Amino acid sequence: MSVIEVDAVSKSYPTPDGALDALEQVSLIARSGEFVSVIGPSGCGKSTLFNIIAGLEEPSAGCVRIDDVEVTDRRGRVAYMPQRDALLPWRNVLDNAVLATVVQRGDVRAARREAEALLGDFGLEGFGEALPATLSGGMRQRVALLRTVLWRRPIMLLDEPFGALDALTRAQLQQWLLGLWSRLDHTILMVTHDVDEALLLSDRVYVLTPRPGRVALELALDLPRPRTYNIIASAAFLRYKTHLLRALGQIM
Amino acid sequence: MIRKERLIRQYAVWHDASATWGGTLLRLARIVAPPLLLVAGLVLGWELLVGWLAIPGWLLPAPSRIVAAFVDSLPVLTGHVAATLRVTAIGFGLALVAGFGLAFLIDISPLLRRALYPLLVASQTVPIVAVAPLLVVGFGFGMLPKVLVVALVTFFPIVVNTVDGLQSADRDMTQLLRAMNAGYGQILRLLRIPAALPMIFTGVKIAITYSIIGAVLAEWIGASSGLGVYIARSLRAFRTDQVFVAAFVTSLLTIMLFASTSVLERWLVYWKGNHS
Ligand SMILES: Nc1ncnc2c1ncn2[C@@H]1O[C@H](COP(=O)(O)OP(=O)(O)OP(=O)(O)O)[C@@H](O)[C@H]1O
Ligand SMILES: [Mg+2]
């Protein structure tokens, strides 16, 4: 069991001209094995929310629970993929992939063997010794994902995992993440500001308002699994899409 | 004319061939050849000018005479060079240890940063020609005052660049390591020190260009051997040609130290492959 629950979390930053409210009373939940997306306009506090869940920032109010245990301000409980890939340029692909094991002083050799075995699955065959600077954007993103998977936490936070990629690479990686998730049985919480991406991947979608971020809509998706890209043209998908876009205020 | 065109075309080829070994050599030649040719021209002009104007040797010796002086004093010179290098090495080693130590202290504590920074800056505003004799008076003609002079003129760029370099670590990478529950030491070792290396090397390269000059200056003020002593003796004997030899050797040693640091940098900062 690995349920993550965010309970009435607010966050305001002190600034020279008064408090800046980034999040206001945000509550959400991702149950065991669920794929949940958080979608919202730029600057509405999505990364802030993830930083709070990861224990990197203190909420001004509210708390975070994993399996009914409060973990507010505790780090190392969830695997986190930050918005940019954050690969260390001096470590090759394998060394980046096993970073969490290095930090946690685990068995790095075993982790490296494991990472090596997974290279093929992540489309990185033969690139184990390559430095990040020599990789394409899509490959770097996959290394960051591999690092997140090898973090070995049942809950993964993905902050716009495909944000910086071109549409084609993005579509490939979405498909590929779907496959990965169905094999691994993780609970995934993903930030995106792409409606199609949220609909394609998720069991449930939370829509946040512009700053300060509040939950404007929670939408459970009743779409068949396993999903492929074809689903984008289905009637149900389009209905959900209209719903989401309206909640985002992008159409009237 | 045709030759020139061919050279231009050749130049373009070298530009593209930078990935291969031959390309690297040619590129190196392209970097080294222009200053070398310029220096050769200047030296030739100098030689001719001294001959034509019959300038006395104690005022401005001809290059040929300097070369002769170099060959003549080679036996004594090696001993002096060895002494200078020893002082430089120990002094610079001290500067590295003290520089990194201070940098980490400053990094750990904002209070120490505020306390130490003004003092460090002040230490650089004191004229070294005033401090060096005082050190000799205080510590005698042994190794110590000279080592201290070298350390004093070289530690500052090391401290400043190390402090700034440690601050330059990427925010997202820091957040990632913190999310993994990494401690201060782990973040330092896994992220901040490697991230600081390019800037540290910048500081070390600046420092190392001062190191030999610092040692020579200290020896000039008071020592029994070293290039500074050799200069002092040559001046007293109006052997201007030997002074030129000493100047030449000093800059040669500095260039060699600088070049070895660059080589070390390329090896340690292997991920900054702007030279494919
Ligand atoms: N440390 C901080 N101090 C002050 N303000 C901050 C800080 N961190 C974030 N903010 C502000 O909080 C708001 C939310 O930022 P956040 O990065 O969470 O947005 P986001 O939803 O992830 O945006 P994007 O989609 O562009 O990544 C922004 O207005 C930002 O300027
Ligand atoms: Mg963000």
Side-chain angles (χ1 to χ4, degrees):
Chain A
M1 198 176 89
S2 38
V3 183
I4 180 117
E5 201 181 347
V6 174
D7 191 357
V9 160
S10 300
K11 177 77 187 176
S12 59
Y13 292 104
T15 65
D17 17 80
L20 183 147
D21 292 321
L23 292 170
E24 203 173 275
Q25 296 276 323
V26 172
S27 295
L28 52 83
I29 185 166
R31 298 188 187 86
S32 223
E34 243 186 341
F35 198 127
V36 174
S37 290
V38 178
I39 189 166
S42 187
C44 74
K46 304 181 296 291
S47 297
T48 306
L49 179 68
F50 272 22
N51 282 341
I52 289 172
I53 297 174
L56 297 173
E57 287 185 54
E58 262 179 70
S60 312
C63 68
V64 180
R65 281 189 288 271
I66 294 177
D67 297 339
D68 293 324
V69 178
E70 179 164 352
V71 294
T72 320
D73 304 337
R74 302 237 196 104
R75 294 195 281 273
R77 301 300 169 98
V78 294
Y80 185 12
M81 178 169 163
Q83 196 159 356
R84 294 195 295 123
D85 56 54
L87 298 177
L88 302 181
W90 43 87
R91 294 175 83 91
N92 65 29
V93 166
L94 286 175
D95 291 334
N96 265 293
V98 301
L99 190 63
T101 311
V102 173
V103 170
Q104 284 145 18
R105 299 189 174 83
D107 187 345
V108 176
R109 278 172 157 228
R112 270 182 73 96
R113 272 197 300 276
E114 214 170 338
E116 224 160 345
L118 283 173
L119 281 182
D121 283 354
F122 280 71
L124 295 163
E125 192 75 68
F127 285 93
E129 310 290 327
L131 289 174
T134 65
L135 303 179
S136 72
M139 290 170 89
R140 293 175 61 105
Q141 221 68 9
R142 284 195 294 256
V143 178
L145 262 168
L146 176 58
R147 180 188 62 199
T148 317
V149 167
L150 288 175
W151 200 321
R152 297 264 163 250
R153 293 289 178 269
I155 299 166
M156 301 204 298
L157 309 181
L158 311 177
D159 193 348
E160 298 201 35
F162 314 124
L165 302 177
D166 61 278
L168 203 66
T169 316
R170 200 179 167 109
Q172 275 171 2
L173 285 187
Q174 286 165 349
Q175 199 74 135
W176 174 86
L177 178 64
L178 267 181
L180 183 78
W181 171 72
S182 62
R183 283 200 304 278
L184 289 180
D185 190 37
H186 277 69
T187 305
I188 294 186
L189 200 55
M190 179 183 79
V191 157
T192 176
H193 44 220
D194 179 342
V195 171
D196 286 339
E197 182 168 281
L199 288 174
L200 179 67
L201 299 176
S202 320
D203 296 310
R204 251 160 352 99
V205 182
Y206 288 93
V207 179
L208 297 189
T209 61
R211 203 183 68 217
R214 273 175 283 112
V215 176
L217 174 73
E218 180 191 341
L219 185 65
L221 303 180
D222 186 16
L223 293 168
R225 296 232 187 234
R227 293 179 198 162
T228 61
Y229 225 80
N230 299 329
I231 202 173
I232 289 198
S234 74
F237 190 97
L238 291 173
R239 212 166 43 241
Y240 285 133
K241 185 169 177 176
T242 314
H243 201 141
L244 281 185
L245 287 173
R246 194 170 287 144
L248 282 163
Q250 289 179 357
I251 53 175
M252 285 300 128
Chain B
M1 228 38 229
I2 295 162
R3 218 184 128 71
K4 192 172 167 190
E5 261 173 46
R6 216 170 52 206
L7 272 176
I8 291 168
R9 220 172 300 132
Q10 192 74 39
Y11 186 90
V13 172
W14 292 345
H15 239 298
D16 292 333
S18 54
T20 66
W21 253 110
T24 310
L25 278 178
L26 287 174
R27 219 153 38 113
L28 200 69
R30 202 147 51 83
I31 295 166
V32 172
L36 227 53
L37 285 174
L38 181 67
V39 168
L42 286 175
V43 167
L44 190 67
W46 175 3
E47 181 79 42
L48 294 175
L49 209 67
V50 169
W52 283 339
L53 302 177
I55 298 172
W58 53 265
L59 187 61
L60 182 67
S64 55
R65 208 169 142 176
I66 296 170
V67 172
F70 175 72
V71 174
D72 283 345
S73 46
L74 211 50
V76 265
L77 214 49
T78 48
H80 288 306
V81 166
T84 301
L85 281 181
R86 199 177 322 126
V87 167
T88 306
I90 298 173
F92 196 69
L94 184 65
L96 284 175
V97 172
F100 292 146
L102 283 168
F104 283 110
L105 285 181
I106 287 172
D107 186 68
I108 291 168
S109 155
L111 185 69
L112 275 176
R113 182 193 186 98
R114 283 198 300 275
L116 283 172
Y117 237 94
L119 292 185
L120 295 182
V121 175
S123 79
Q124 295 307 293
T125 62
V126 181
I128 199 71
V129 283
V131 176
L134 292 179
L135 287 174
V136 174
V137 171
F139 297 109
F141 285 78
M143 194 77 137
L144 189 58
K146 295 182 268 304
V147 166
L148 287 179
V149 168
V150 173
L152 200 61
V153 296
T154 57
F155 87 100
F156 188 68
I158 299 173
V159 178
V160 174
N161 280 278
T162 306
V163 169
D164 287 356
L166 288 173
Q167 301 293 331
S168 73
D170 180 90
R171 210 185 114 79
D172 287 1
M173 296 176 191
T174 315
Q175 291 285 64
L176 176 74
L177 283 170
R178 286 184 58 225
M180 289 172 175
N181 217 358
Y184 174 85
Q186 284 181 315
I187 293 182
L188 203 59
R189 186 167 52 82
L190 292 171
L191 171 63
R192 299 180 63 214
I193 291 179
L197 272 183
M199 283 198 76
I200 291 177
F201 267 104
T202 305
V204 167
K205 285 196 285 193
I206 294 170
I208 216 153
T209 56
Y210 299 151
S211 62
I212 301 245
I213 297 173
V216 169
L217 179 78
E219 289 162 350
W220 186 64
I221 287 161
S224 50
S225 69
L227 279 171
V229 174
Y230 177 78
I231 292 175
R233 285 180 190 159
S234 304
L235 277 173
R236 277 198 296 277
F238 293 100
R239 288 296 303 269
T240 313
D241 50 352
Q242 290 187 8
V243 177
F244 272 94
V245 168
F248 171 70
V249 170
T250 303
S251 75
L252 193 70
L253 290 177
T254 304
I255 290 169
M256 274 160 49
L257 283 181
F258 189 91
S260 356
T261 312
S262 296
V263 169
L264 188 66
E265 179 181 16
R266 286 197 173 197
W267 183 63
L268 278 179
V269 191
Y270 54 87
W271 63 93
K272 291 252 156 127
N274 49 5
H275 35 78
S276 59

